[in-house]
Amino acid sequence: MTSSGHGARRLYEITYLGSGPDPDVRMVEAGEVAAVIEHADEHGMQVLIRPCTHPHDRSQTDSHHAG
């Protein structure tokens, strides 16, 4: 396996804002981002969209949040 940009799926993290204390977070492929934006606009929702360069690193960054 290689991690080159060829053939790799580009993922985005979608956070639905204003949906309570724990916002709904989902991962979508690049081709789905436009549909997410359109859906949010039609329903008066706000979304935060961030590219995910290394989805597997998320658990590592969460573990740094020791309280």
Side-chain angles (χ1 to χ4, degrees), residues 35-47:
V36 168
I37 294 169
E38 187 174 325
H39 176 78
D41 184 49
E42 289 174 357
H43 292 83
M45 301 167 67
Q46 290 184 329
V47 292

Side-chain angles (χ1 to χ4, degrees), residues 3 5 10-11 14 16-17 19 21-22 26-31 33 38 45 47-48 53 58-59 64 66:
S3 58
R10 183 154 193 124
L11 297 175
I14 309 296
Y16 292 89
L17 304 173
S19 60
D22 294 323
R26 299 180 186 193
M27 302 294 286
V28 300
E29 292 185 21
V33 172
E38 187 174 325
M45 301 167 67
V47 292
L48 174 64
T53 53
R58 185 172 179 190
S59 62
H64 294 329

